[in-house]
Amino acid sequence: CALLAAITALALGSRQLDRAVVTTEATARISPFEAAKSAFVLSPGEIVRLEKSHTGYRFIRHRDGRTGWLSAAKLGSVALFSSRERG
């Protein structure tokens, strides 16, 4: 039973590692360069899935399916909390 709980916790935790939060208004671009054409704009607090990296940019997927390249400087880590920490 304890082994199953540990495996479940690891699986849930690893899913969070591929997520990030947008820290400030950010423009997702069609390629990983500042001069690239804009794809869409994200608001602070939005959660995105990280798919790959290239020279200071992350290829992200929004929950609605849109994809684009976002400056890594505009992203923060998603905090993991146990049920005890949530209060």
Side-chain angles (χ1 to χ4, degrees):
C1 186
L3 179 59
L4 179 59
I7 291 169
T8 302
L10 285 173
L12 291 174
S14 67
R15 282 197 301 219
Q16 293 300 317
L17 295 177
D18 66 346
R19 299 233 182 353
V21 62
V22 177
T23 57
T24 185
E25 184 173 282
T27 301
R29 302 199 176 276
I30 62 170
S31 61
F33 307 99
E34 188 62 34
K37 185 176 177 181
S38 171
F40 54 94
V41 176
L42 293 161
S43 299
E46 291 192 71
I47 304 294
V48 295
R49 179 181 298 269
L50 303 174
E51 299 203 349
K52 52 186 161 180
S53 300
H54 180 73
T55 61
Y57 280 81
R58 304 293 182 264
F59 187 75
I60 58 98
R61 181 175 301 277
H62 191 269
R63 64 184 171 149
D64 66 10
R66 294 179 293 170
T67 60
W69 290 93
L70 198 63
S71 169
K74 305 276 184 162
L75 296 168
S77 299
V78 174
L80 297 176
F81 296 100
S82 71
S83 58
R84 284 182 249 147
E85 291 173 309
R86 289 183 190 153

